[in-house]
Amino acid sequence: MHSPPHDHISASPDVRGAEGIEGSVDSGPVLEVRFGEYLQEVGVARRRVRYGEVVASAPGAEGKVRLRATDVYRILRPYVTPRFVEQAKAVAPLGVYLVLFQLLFLRQPVSGGWIVTGALAAVIVGLMLFMEGLRLGLMPLGERIGETLPTRSPLSVVLLVVFLLGIGVTFAEPAIGALKAAGTIVVPERTPLLYGLLTEHSGLLVLVVGAGVGVAAVLGTLRFVYDWSLKPLIFATILPCLGLTAYAALDPARQEIVGLAWDSGAVTTGPVTVPLVLALGIGVSSAVGKATSSLSGFGIVTLASLFPVMGVLLLGLTVGPAGAGATTEVVVGGWLSQSPVAEIVAAIRAIVPLVAFLLVVLWMVARERVSHPGLVTYGIVLTVLGMALFNVGLTFGLAELGNQSGGALPAAFTTVEGVPESPLYIFALGIGLVILFAWVLGFGATLAEPALNALGMTVEELTNGAFPKKLLMWAVAIGVACGIGLGVAKLVFGFGLAWVLVPGYAAVLILTLFSTEEFVNVAWDSAGVTTGPVTVPLVLAMGLGLGGAVRAPEGFGVLALASLCPIAAVLTTGLYVQWRTHHEQAV
Amino acid sequence: MPDREIVILTDVSLITCIVQKGMADTIVLAGRKAGAQGATVYYARGSGVRERLGILGVAVEAEKEVVNIVVADDQVDRVMEAMFLAGKLDTPGMGFMYVTPLEKAATYVPHDVLERLKEKAGR
């Protein structure tokens, strides 16, 4: 179809009468113009064509449209631009903030700046491709399975599928690569058990985390079916976690894994896990005949953040420290000199098993065909490419930048060789600056999370406006900020993570007891929602960098606290909103 | 019921605009600015241009939003133009719009407006 050319909207009153209807100017000082003619002249040009003529001259029902280069550009622009911008808004400000802080306040240049910038660009593009591929490739498969499997198979089969899906999605999470990258920053001599878990046993670690997610997904699905309340499930899960934490913390050989265990819970619930597991869960609940209340979706995220903690703690308690063979394996520079091909292979190894699993379930168990195979294939290819790019960008950009930033922080308050003016500030000011830096980082990164926006809207609807979206977003952001600040303080001052976690979660449990079901659902999920694929590697790397620089035993735990504090913040705010509503109604 | 009446609005047309999901808000805003009183948005699934664009078809969302705006016949051209330009419907795959003449419409008319109309009619 040919488009009518656009006219400029002219401000000049010079109407020359394009149709030649008006008389010539020199017939007199007055020119009569139909207003409609004037409007046509200043408005968009119009052309009337019979539709039949357009269709008759088109090549045929399935013929291709011939496109000019401008048309191709015009089609692709509204497709690519919003997706790119969405990821850029999440990544770029963080990068700029870290670099600026390091330059201005710590007076240290960022080494390898261009590589880091290129890698961050790779992260943006990689995430863009990954999310689009997820939407077009994996999600339709998951939703189809969710719609058809529960009607054709008994519950036990469905639960088995859900469990295996939980393992599969964990391997496919982009942020899981961050745990593996973290293994290169850990010092083996001081924390042999931790090092072993992250390198020698890294496959087993991810498997255990995945199994935790699987169990959580199964419990979440059962919650859909039998309408269980979330509160008893939380108690039943947290108490063993805290018990195991306390046990591990008191054992000097095992206490180093506490941070990793609680951090791995934050890593799991990402853009792959949540939608896929939800799709299955919702499918199950509609097959069983329950109406999907807006609360149905919650709970899985919470459980999927808690069970991996238990799993990793149990793994740490059963596996011995890495043998002597592991410490001699020097992997310095091992990750940093990977060729792009290796990233693609790693991405394939992460995505393809999940896709194969979904296809097998779809064909064999649900006996369905894939509805748009071309589109799904395109989606899967995009996912693999996106993940490969993201992993490259992760290693050279996010992890690198976080590590440098974290490593540069101690210059603010102690002497550091290599930084001639350290300490840059007096002790109290330096520490304060570092904690403030971490606080603002957490606050900004959280507000930029799109998932939080979605959660806020759901909450506002749920409570009929009593809990506005802005309030929730601020509560969560402040919670995460305080958590990251606390985490940084933990690294600097060296107090044990368990000393904060156990009382912290105990306090949160008490708050949970007094809160209503809706707020409990929302609050516990908000923590899982906030730590996305950009913040997780960044914060992990920063913690490890800082921990290494201040000679802390290990740098994990920041994410764990960043998950604990928003729960407390939202529950407290929820109790306040409850109290206020009650008060207003009583008056 | 003598104390309630129905005001029949005549000379109305329906502008229907089918766009990709997510783009309805721009169109509705443009329509409002051009003088439309309101809009209704449905969700639908579309096909046609996507199949003919080949590989570029993935850039066109199959999920659609259908925007219905009822306007007076005098306003049709202006509103239609505004919606067309705002939605960039001259780009392949961006959407399709059409105008249907309506027999009549009815809705709430504010009392003072009604009084003024009656006065004008009486005059």
Side-chain angles (χ1 to χ4, degrees), chain A residues 3 6 44 46 61 63-65 67 72 74-76 79 135 375 378, chain B residues 50-54 56 58-59 61 77 81 85 90-92 94:
Chain A
S3 55
H6 286 197
V44 174
R46 292 162 172 262
K64 299 284 191 64
V65 177
L67 297 169
V72 174
R74 284 208 193 132
I75 294 181
L76 288 179
Y79 178 58
R135 187 182 74 98
L375 217 55
Y378 165 72
Chain B
R50 281 178 85 234
E51 283 72 15
R52 282 192 252 121
L53 283 178
L56 280 177
V58 290
E61 171 85 64
D77 283 342
E81 213 174 270
L85 293 176
D90 53 347
T91 305
M94 290 305 277

PDB file of all heavy atoms in Angstrom, chain A residues 3 6 44 46 61 63-65 67 72 74-76 79 135 375 378, chain B residues 50-54 56 58-59 61 77 81 85 90-92 94:
ATOM      1  N   SER A   3       1.648   4.971   0.824  1.00  0.00           N
ATOM      2  CA  SER A   3       1.161   5.903   1.836  1.00  0.00           C
ATOM      3  C   SER A   3       1.054   7.285   1.221  1.00  0.00           C
ATOM      4  O   SER A   3       1.861   7.655   0.376  1.00  0.00           O
ATOM      5  CB  SER A   3       2.114   5.942   3.010  1.00  0.00           C
ATOM      6  OG  SER A   3       3.419   6.242   2.560  1.00  0.00           O
ATOM      7  N   HIS A   6       3.202  13.034   3.506  1.00  0.00           N
ATOM      8  CA  HIS A   6       2.859  13.969   4.576  1.00  0.00           C
ATOM      9  C   HIS A   6       3.133  15.385   4.141  1.00  0.00           C
ATOM     10  O   HIS A   6       4.148  15.660   3.518  1.00  0.00           O
ATOM     11  CB  HIS A   6       3.712  13.697   5.813  1.00  0.00           C
ATOM     12  CG  HIS A   6       3.277  12.467   6.525  1.00  0.00           C
ATOM     13  ND1 HIS A   6       3.655  12.218   7.813  1.00  0.00           N
ATOM     14  CD2 HIS A   6       2.535  11.431   6.128  1.00  0.00           C
ATOM     15  CE1 HIS A   6       3.152  11.071   8.193  1.00  0.00           C
ATOM     16  NE2 HIS A   6       2.468  10.561   7.195  1.00  0.00           N
ATOM     17  N   VAL A  44      -3.094  16.916   6.569  1.00  0.00           N
ATOM     18  CA  VAL A  44      -2.409  15.842   5.877  1.00  0.00           C
ATOM     19  C   VAL A  44      -3.029  15.677   4.498  1.00  0.00           C
ATOM     20  O   VAL A  44      -4.234  15.807   4.329  1.00  0.00           O
ATOM     21  CB  VAL A  44      -2.577  14.537   6.681  1.00  0.00           C
ATOM     22  CG1 VAL A  44      -2.012  13.374   5.937  1.00  0.00           C
ATOM     23  CG2 VAL A  44      -1.926  14.691   8.028  1.00  0.00           C
ATOM     24  N   ARG A  46      -4.615  13.970   1.354  1.00  0.00           N
ATOM     25  CA  ARG A  46      -5.477  12.799   1.268  1.00  0.00           C
ATOM     26  C   ARG A  46      -5.556  12.323  -0.160  1.00  0.00           C
ATOM     27  O   ARG A  46      -5.454  13.092  -1.093  1.00  0.00           O
ATOM     28  CB  ARG A  46      -6.903  13.155   1.711  1.00  0.00           C
ATOM     29  CG  ARG A  46      -6.986  13.472   3.143  1.00  0.00           C
ATOM     30  CD  ARG A  46      -8.252  14.228   3.435  1.00  0.00           C
ATOM     31  NE  ARG A  46      -8.344  14.319   4.874  1.00  0.00           N
ATOM     32  CZ  ARG A  46      -9.086  13.496   5.601  1.00  0.00           C
ATOM     33  NH1 ARG A  46      -9.854  12.598   5.012  1.00  0.00           N
ATOM     34  NH2 ARG A  46      -9.091  13.590   6.903  1.00  0.00           N
ATOM     35  N   ALA A  61      -2.851 -13.694  -2.253  1.00  0.00           N
ATOM     36  CA  ALA A  61      -3.165 -13.886  -0.830  1.00  0.00           C
ATOM     37  C   ALA A  61      -1.905 -14.052   0.008  1.00  0.00           C
ATOM     38  O   ALA A  61      -1.775 -13.467   1.071  1.00  0.00           O
ATOM     39  CB  ALA A  61      -4.069 -15.098  -0.667  1.00  0.00           C
ATOM     40  N   GLY A  63       1.214 -13.505  -1.195  1.00  0.00           N
ATOM     41  CA  GLY A  63       2.382 -12.863  -1.786  1.00  0.00           C
ATOM     42  C   GLY A  63       3.055 -11.920  -0.818  1.00  0.00           C
ATOM     43  O   GLY A  63       2.432 -11.359   0.068  1.00  0.00           O
ATOM     44  N   LYS A  64       4.333 -11.721  -1.025  1.00  0.00           N
ATOM     45  CA  LYS A  64       5.081 -10.857  -0.118  1.00  0.00           C
ATOM     46  C   LYS A  64       4.888  -9.406  -0.509  1.00  0.00           C
ATOM     47  O   LYS A  64       4.747  -9.081  -1.683  1.00  0.00           O
ATOM     48  CB  LYS A  64       6.589 -11.177  -0.180  1.00  0.00           C
ATOM     49  CG  LYS A  64       6.930 -12.576   0.226  1.00  0.00           C
ATOM     50  CD  LYS A  64       6.853 -12.727   1.732  1.00  0.00           C
ATOM     51  CE  LYS A  64       7.431 -14.031   2.195  1.00  0.00           C
ATOM     52  NZ  LYS A  64       8.864 -14.122   1.901  1.00  0.00           N
ATOM     53  N   VAL A  65       4.945  -8.561   0.445  1.00  0.00           N
ATOM     54  CA  VAL A  65       4.904  -7.130   0.186  1.00  0.00           C
ATOM     55  C   VAL A  65       6.330  -6.682  -0.132  1.00  0.00           C
ATOM     56  O   VAL A  65       7.264  -7.111   0.526  1.00  0.00           O
ATOM     57  CB  VAL A  65       4.406  -6.394   1.446  1.00  0.00           C
ATOM     58  CG1 VAL A  65       4.426  -4.913   1.241  1.00  0.00           C
ATOM     59  CG2 VAL A  65       3.023  -6.879   1.800  1.00  0.00           C
ATOM     60  N   LEU A  67       9.202  -4.168   0.175  1.00  0.00           N
ATOM     61  CA  LEU A  67       9.464  -3.102   1.123  1.00  0.00           C
ATOM     62  C   LEU A  67      10.688  -2.298   0.728  1.00  0.00           C
ATOM     63  O   LEU A  67      11.672  -2.863   0.291  1.00  0.00           O
ATOM     64  CB  LEU A  67       9.713  -3.693   2.513  1.00  0.00           C
ATOM     65  CG  LEU A  67       8.543  -4.444   3.123  1.00  0.00           C
ATOM     66  CD1 LEU A  67       9.009  -5.182   4.349  1.00  0.00           C
ATOM     67  CD2 LEU A  67       7.447  -3.479   3.500  1.00  0.00           C
ATOM     68  N   VAL A  72      11.403  -0.994   6.103  1.00  0.00           N
ATOM     69  CA  VAL A  72      11.996  -1.971   7.015  1.00  0.00           C
ATOM     70  C   VAL A  72      12.419  -1.278   8.310  1.00  0.00           C
ATOM     71  O   VAL A  72      12.155  -1.760   9.417  1.00  0.00           O
ATOM     72  CB  VAL A  72      13.213  -2.660   6.354  1.00  0.00           C
ATOM     73  CG1 VAL A  72      13.907  -3.564   7.345  1.00  0.00           C
ATOM     74  CG2 VAL A  72      12.775  -3.448   5.142  1.00  0.00           C
ATOM     75  N   ARG A  74      11.177   1.401   9.514  1.00  0.00           N
ATOM     76  CA  ARG A  74       9.988   1.836  10.260  1.00  0.00           C
ATOM     77  C   ARG A  74       9.292   0.670  10.942  1.00  0.00           C
ATOM     78  O   ARG A  74       8.620   0.856  11.943  1.00  0.00           O
ATOM     79  CB  ARG A  74       9.016   2.532   9.319  1.00  0.00           C
ATOM     80  CG  ARG A  74       9.432   3.916   8.964  1.00  0.00           C
ATOM     81  CD  ARG A  74       8.213   4.720   8.654  1.00  0.00           C
ATOM     82  NE  ARG A  74       8.544   5.970   8.005  1.00  0.00           N
ATOM     83  CZ  ARG A  74       7.945   6.421   6.924  1.00  0.00           C
ATOM     84  NH1 ARG A  74       7.016   5.690   6.344  1.00  0.00           N
ATOM     85  NH2 ARG A  74       8.294   7.579   6.425  1.00  0.00           N
ATOM     86  N   ILE A  75       9.427  -0.521  10.386  1.00  0.00           N
ATOM     87  CA  ILE A  75       8.817  -1.672  11.051  1.00  0.00           C
ATOM     88  C   ILE A  75       9.645  -2.052  12.262  1.00  0.00           C
ATOM     89  O   ILE A  75       9.115  -2.365  13.327  1.00  0.00           O
ATOM     90  CB  ILE A  75       8.752  -2.891  10.101  1.00  0.00           C
ATOM     91  CG1 ILE A  75       7.811  -2.627   8.958  1.00  0.00           C
ATOM     92  CG2 ILE A  75       8.315  -4.122  10.860  1.00  0.00           C
ATOM     93  CD1 ILE A  75       7.697  -3.784   8.034  1.00  0.00           C
ATOM     94  N   LEU A  76      10.967  -2.039  12.084  1.00  0.00           N
ATOM     95  CA  LEU A  76      11.820  -2.546  13.151  1.00  0.00           C
ATOM     96  C   LEU A  76      11.953  -1.575  14.311  1.00  0.00           C
ATOM     97  O   LEU A  76      12.142  -1.995  15.443  1.00  0.00           O
ATOM     98  CB  LEU A  76      13.211  -2.883  12.594  1.00  0.00           C
ATOM     99  CG  LEU A  76      13.249  -4.128  11.709  1.00  0.00           C
ATOM    100  CD1 LEU A  76      14.649  -4.348  11.193  1.00  0.00           C
ATOM    101  CD2 LEU A  76      12.792  -5.336  12.507  1.00  0.00           C
ATOM    102  N   TYR A  79       9.740  -1.961  17.265  1.00  0.00           N
ATOM    103  CA  TYR A  79       9.940  -3.287  17.837  1.00  0.00           C
ATOM    104  C   TYR A  79      11.183  -3.293  18.723  1.00  0.00           C
ATOM    105  O   TYR A  79      11.148  -3.738  19.861  1.00  0.00           O
ATOM    106  CB  TYR A  79      10.092  -4.288  16.691  1.00  0.00           C
ATOM    107  CG  TYR A  79      10.348  -5.711  17.102  1.00  0.00           C
ATOM    108  CD1 TYR A  79       9.465  -6.393  17.921  1.00  0.00           C
ATOM    109  CD2 TYR A  79      11.463  -6.389  16.636  1.00  0.00           C
ATOM    110  CE1 TYR A  79       9.687  -7.694  18.277  1.00  0.00           C
ATOM    111  CE2 TYR A  79      11.689  -7.697  16.985  1.00  0.00           C
ATOM    112  CZ  TYR A  79      10.800  -8.347  17.808  1.00  0.00           C
ATOM    113  OH  TYR A  79      11.019  -9.645  18.147  1.00  0.00           O
ATOM    114  N   ARG A 135       9.921 -14.560  25.693  1.00  0.00           N
ATOM    115  CA  ARG A 135       8.514 -14.259  25.452  1.00  0.00           C
ATOM    116  C   ARG A 135       7.971 -15.037  24.280  1.00  0.00           C
ATOM    117  O   ARG A 135       6.845 -15.522  24.303  1.00  0.00           O
ATOM    118  CB  ARG A 135       8.380 -12.754  25.200  1.00  0.00           C
ATOM    119  CG  ARG A 135       6.981 -12.248  25.095  1.00  0.00           C
ATOM    120  CD  ARG A 135       7.001 -10.754  24.804  1.00  0.00           C
ATOM    121  NE  ARG A 135       7.385 -10.493  23.429  1.00  0.00           N
ATOM    122  CZ  ARG A 135       6.525 -10.254  22.449  1.00  0.00           C
ATOM    123  NH1 ARG A 135       5.251 -10.257  22.701  1.00  0.00           N
ATOM    124  NH2 ARG A 135       6.955 -10.011  21.242  1.00  0.00           N
ATOM    125  N   LEU A 375       8.040 -19.414  14.924  1.00  0.00           N
ATOM    126  CA  LEU A 375       8.181 -18.360  15.922  1.00  0.00           C
ATOM    127  C   LEU A 375       8.899 -18.883  17.156  1.00  0.00           C
ATOM    128  O   LEU A 375       9.758 -18.220  17.744  1.00  0.00           O
ATOM    129  CB  LEU A 375       6.780 -17.873  16.303  1.00  0.00           C
ATOM    130  CG  LEU A 375       6.622 -16.386  16.574  1.00  0.00           C
ATOM    131  CD1 LEU A 375       7.111 -15.580  15.407  1.00  0.00           C
ATOM    132  CD2 LEU A 375       5.163 -16.081  16.848  1.00  0.00           C
ATOM    133  N   TYR A 378      12.538 -19.257  16.459  1.00  0.00           N
ATOM    134  CA  TYR A 378      13.137 -17.918  16.492  1.00  0.00           C
ATOM    135  C   TYR A 378      13.369 -17.487  17.936  1.00  0.00           C
ATOM    136  O   TYR A 378      14.442 -16.984  18.295  1.00  0.00           O
ATOM    137  CB  TYR A 378      12.197 -16.955  15.761  1.00  0.00           C
ATOM    138  CG  TYR A 378      12.452 -15.486  15.981  1.00  0.00           C
ATOM    139  CD1 TYR A 378      13.550 -14.855  15.419  1.00  0.00           C
ATOM    140  CD2 TYR A 378      11.578 -14.719  16.753  1.00  0.00           C
ATOM    141  CE1 TYR A 378      13.759 -13.496  15.618  1.00  0.00           C
ATOM    142  CE2 TYR A 378      11.788 -13.373  16.950  1.00  0.00           C
ATOM    143  CZ  TYR A 378      12.874 -12.772  16.378  1.00  0.00           C
ATOM    144  OH  TYR A 378      13.077 -11.428  16.585  1.00  0.00           O
TER     145      TYR A 378
ATOM    146  N   ARG B  50       1.243  -9.546   8.783  1.00  0.00           N
ATOM    147  CA  ARG B  50       2.357 -10.304   9.351  1.00  0.00           C
ATOM    148  C   ARG B  50       2.800 -11.436   8.435  1.00  0.00           C
ATOM    149  O   ARG B  50       3.985 -11.650   8.224  1.00  0.00           O
ATOM    150  CB  ARG B  50       1.958 -10.910  10.695  1.00  0.00           C
ATOM    151  CG  ARG B  50       1.986  -9.937  11.820  1.00  0.00           C
ATOM    152  CD  ARG B  50       1.544 -10.609  13.087  1.00  0.00           C
ATOM    153  NE  ARG B  50       2.646 -11.278  13.735  1.00  0.00           N
ATOM    154  CZ  ARG B  50       2.636 -12.532  14.082  1.00  0.00           C
ATOM    155  NH1 ARG B  50       1.587 -13.273  13.845  1.00  0.00           N
ATOM    156  NH2 ARG B  50       3.674 -13.056  14.683  1.00  0.00           N
ATOM    157  N   GLU B  51       1.825 -12.141   7.890  1.00  0.00           N
ATOM    158  CA  GLU B  51       2.178 -13.281   7.064  1.00  0.00           C
ATOM    159  C   GLU B  51       2.888 -12.826   5.798  1.00  0.00           C
ATOM    160  O   GLU B  51       3.661 -13.572   5.217  1.00  0.00           O
ATOM    161  CB  GLU B  51       0.919 -14.073   6.681  1.00  0.00           C
ATOM    162  CG  GLU B  51       0.372 -14.960   7.802  1.00  0.00           C
ATOM    163  CD  GLU B  51      -0.270 -14.165   8.914  1.00  0.00           C
ATOM    164  OE1 GLU B  51      -0.555 -12.977   8.697  1.00  0.00           O
ATOM    165  OE2 GLU B  51      -0.489 -14.721   9.994  1.00  0.00           O
ATOM    166  N   ARG B  52       2.621 -11.610   5.361  1.00  0.00           N
ATOM    167  CA  ARG B  52       3.191 -11.170   4.088  1.00  0.00           C
ATOM    168  C   ARG B  52       4.519 -10.442   4.253  1.00  0.00           C
ATOM    169  O   ARG B  52       5.140 -10.057   3.275  1.00  0.00           O
ATOM    170  CB  ARG B  52       2.210 -10.264   3.346  1.00  0.00           C
ATOM    171  CG  ARG B  52       1.144 -11.120   2.699  1.00  0.00           C
ATOM    172  CD  ARG B  52       0.303 -10.370   1.725  1.00  0.00           C
ATOM    173  NE  ARG B  52      -0.984 -10.214   2.367  1.00  0.00           N
ATOM    174  CZ  ARG B  52      -1.556  -9.088   2.625  1.00  0.00           C
ATOM    175  NH1 ARG B  52      -1.023  -8.015   2.290  1.00  0.00           N
ATOM    176  NH2 ARG B  52      -2.692  -9.019   3.244  1.00  0.00           N
ATOM    177  N   LEU B  53       4.947 -10.261   5.500  1.00  0.00           N
ATOM    178  CA  LEU B  53       6.203  -9.534   5.685  1.00  0.00           C
ATOM    179  C   LEU B  53       7.395 -10.478   5.763  1.00  0.00           C
ATOM    180  O   LEU B  53       8.523 -10.038   5.944  1.00  0.00           O
ATOM    181  CB  LEU B  53       6.147  -8.705   6.971  1.00  0.00           C
ATOM    182  CG  LEU B  53       5.336  -7.432   6.882  1.00  0.00           C
ATOM    183  CD1 LEU B  53       5.327  -6.740   8.230  1.00  0.00           C
ATOM    184  CD2 LEU B  53       5.909  -6.496   5.839  1.00  0.00           C
ATOM    185  N   GLY B  54       7.156 -11.777   5.703  1.00  0.00           N
ATOM    186  CA  GLY B  54       8.275 -12.705   5.764  1.00  0.00           C
ATOM    187  C   GLY B  54       8.895 -12.708   7.144  1.00  0.00           C
ATOM    188  O   GLY B  54       8.203 -12.718   8.149  1.00  0.00           O
ATOM    189  N   LEU B  56      10.346 -10.422   8.675  1.00  0.00           N
ATOM    190  CA  LEU B  56      10.083  -9.211   9.445  1.00  0.00           C
ATOM    191  C   LEU B  56       8.773  -9.299  10.211  1.00  0.00           C
ATOM    192  O   LEU B  56       8.484  -8.454  11.051  1.00  0.00           O
ATOM    193  CB  LEU B  56      10.027  -8.001   8.511  1.00  0.00           C
ATOM    194  CG  LEU B  56      11.373  -7.440   8.074  1.00  0.00           C
ATOM    195  CD1 LEU B  56      11.148  -6.306   7.114  1.00  0.00           C
ATOM    196  CD2 LEU B  56      12.152  -6.933   9.270  1.00  0.00           C
ATOM    197  N   VAL B  58       8.009 -11.042  12.570  1.00  0.00           N
ATOM    198  CA  VAL B  58       8.142 -11.180  14.023  1.00  0.00           C
ATOM    199  C   VAL B  58       8.131  -9.822  14.707  1.00  0.00           C
ATOM    200  O   VAL B  58       7.880  -9.748  15.909  1.00  0.00           O
ATOM    201  CB  VAL B  58       9.439 -11.911  14.425  1.00  0.00           C
ATOM    202  CG1 VAL B  58       9.356 -13.357  14.057  1.00  0.00           C
ATOM    203  CG2 VAL B  58      10.629 -11.263  13.796  1.00  0.00           C
ATOM    204  N   ALA B  59       8.423  -8.760  13.927  1.00  0.00           N
ATOM    205  CA  ALA B  59       8.442  -7.445  14.549  1.00  0.00           C
ATOM    206  C   ALA B  59       7.043  -6.901  14.753  1.00  0.00           C
ATOM    207  O   ALA B  59       6.864  -5.880  15.396  1.00  0.00           O
ATOM    208  CB  ALA B  59       9.254  -6.478  13.693  1.00  0.00           C
ATOM    209  N   GLU B  61       3.440  -7.468  16.366  1.00  0.00           N
ATOM    210  CA  GLU B  61       2.791  -8.220  17.429  1.00  0.00           C
ATOM    211  C   GLU B  61       1.451  -8.770  16.946  1.00  0.00           C
ATOM    212  O   GLU B  61       0.659  -8.047  16.359  1.00  0.00           O
ATOM    213  CB  GLU B  61       2.583  -7.240  18.597  1.00  0.00           C
ATOM    214  CG  GLU B  61       1.743  -7.741  19.711  1.00  0.00           C
ATOM    215  CD  GLU B  61       2.560  -8.549  20.685  1.00  0.00           C
ATOM    216  OE1 GLU B  61       3.449  -7.964  21.298  1.00  0.00           O
ATOM    217  OE2 GLU B  61       2.289  -9.747  20.808  1.00  0.00           O
ATOM    218  N   ASP B  77     -13.418  13.342  10.166  1.00  0.00           N
ATOM    219  CA  ASP B  77     -12.160  13.495   9.435  1.00  0.00           C
ATOM    220  C   ASP B  77     -11.028  13.922  10.346  1.00  0.00           C
ATOM    221  O   ASP B  77      -9.922  13.382  10.298  1.00  0.00           O
ATOM    222  CB  ASP B  77     -12.338  14.520   8.307  1.00  0.00           C
ATOM    223  CG  ASP B  77     -13.087  13.914   7.135  1.00  0.00           C
ATOM    224  OD1 ASP B  77     -13.145  12.672   7.066  1.00  0.00           O
ATOM    225  OD2 ASP B  77     -13.616  14.669   6.316  1.00  0.00           O
ATOM    226  N   GLU B  81      -7.857  11.547  11.225  1.00  0.00           N
ATOM    227  CA  GLU B  81      -6.527  11.992  10.854  1.00  0.00           C
ATOM    228  C   GLU B  81      -5.585  11.982  12.043  1.00  0.00           C
ATOM    229  O   GLU B  81      -4.450  11.504  11.971  1.00  0.00           O
ATOM    230  CB  GLU B  81      -6.649  13.418  10.331  1.00  0.00           C
ATOM    231  CG  GLU B  81      -5.697  13.778   9.250  1.00  0.00           C
ATOM    232  CD  GLU B  81      -6.043  15.154   8.743  1.00  0.00           C
ATOM    233  OE1 GLU B  81      -6.862  15.223   7.809  1.00  0.00           O
ATOM    234  OE2 GLU B  81      -5.526  16.141   9.285  1.00  0.00           O
ATOM    235  N   LEU B  85      -2.213   9.660  12.321  1.00  0.00           N
ATOM    236  CA  LEU B  85      -0.860  10.190  12.444  1.00  0.00           C
ATOM    237  C   LEU B  85      -0.216   9.740  13.742  1.00  0.00           C
ATOM    238  O   LEU B  85       0.947   9.368  13.774  1.00  0.00           O
ATOM    239  CB  LEU B  85      -0.886  11.718  12.359  1.00  0.00           C
ATOM    240  CG  LEU B  85      -1.299  12.266  11.003  1.00  0.00           C
ATOM    241  CD1 LEU B  85      -1.378  13.785  11.062  1.00  0.00           C
ATOM    242  CD2 LEU B  85      -0.324  11.821   9.933  1.00  0.00           C
ATOM    243  N   ASP B  90       0.775   4.687   8.630  1.00  0.00           N
ATOM    244  CA  ASP B  90       1.302   4.596   7.277  1.00  0.00           C
ATOM    245  C   ASP B  90       2.567   3.756   7.230  1.00  0.00           C
ATOM    246  O   ASP B  90       3.270   3.748   6.227  1.00  0.00           O
ATOM    247  CB  ASP B  90       1.543   5.993   6.709  1.00  0.00           C
ATOM    248  CG  ASP B  90       2.400   6.840   7.631  1.00  0.00           C
ATOM    249  OD1 ASP B  90       2.584   6.427   8.800  1.00  0.00           O
ATOM    250  OD2 ASP B  90       2.867   7.887   7.204  1.00  0.00           O
ATOM    251  N   THR B  91       2.903   3.086   8.319  1.00  0.00           N
ATOM    252  CA  THR B  91       4.024   2.150   8.339  1.00  0.00           C
ATOM    253  C   THR B  91       3.473   0.747   8.247  1.00  0.00           C
ATOM    254  O   THR B  91       2.469   0.452   8.888  1.00  0.00           O
ATOM    255  CB  THR B  91       4.796   2.276   9.664  1.00  0.00           C
ATOM    256  OG1 THR B  91       5.183   3.619   9.843  1.00  0.00           O
ATOM    257  CG2 THR B  91       6.006   1.381   9.662  1.00  0.00           C
ATOM    258  N   PRO B  92       4.113  -0.132   7.470  1.00  0.00           N
ATOM    259  CA  PRO B  92       3.566  -1.488   7.348  1.00  0.00           C
ATOM    260  C   PRO B  92       3.455  -2.166   8.706  1.00  0.00           C
ATOM    261  O   PRO B  92       4.357  -2.121   9.522  1.00  0.00           O
ATOM    262  CB  PRO B  92       4.574  -2.223   6.460  1.00  0.00           C
ATOM    263  CG  PRO B  92       5.619  -1.269   6.116  1.00  0.00           C
ATOM    264  CD  PRO B  92       5.286   0.070   6.619  1.00  0.00           C
ATOM    265  N   MET B  94       1.544  -1.411  11.242  1.00  0.00           N
ATOM    266  CA  MET B  94       1.203  -0.620  12.420  1.00  0.00           C
ATOM    267  C   MET B  94      -0.278  -0.605  12.726  1.00  0.00           C
ATOM    268  O   MET B  94      -0.676  -0.253  13.824  1.00  0.00           O
ATOM    269  CB  MET B  94       1.702   0.819  12.269  1.00  0.00           C
ATOM    270  CG  MET B  94       3.202   0.930  12.327  1.00  0.00           C
ATOM    271  SD  MET B  94       3.894   0.213  13.818  1.00  0.00           S
ATOM    272  CE  MET B  94       3.681   1.557  14.935  1.00  0.00           C
TER     273      MET B  94
END
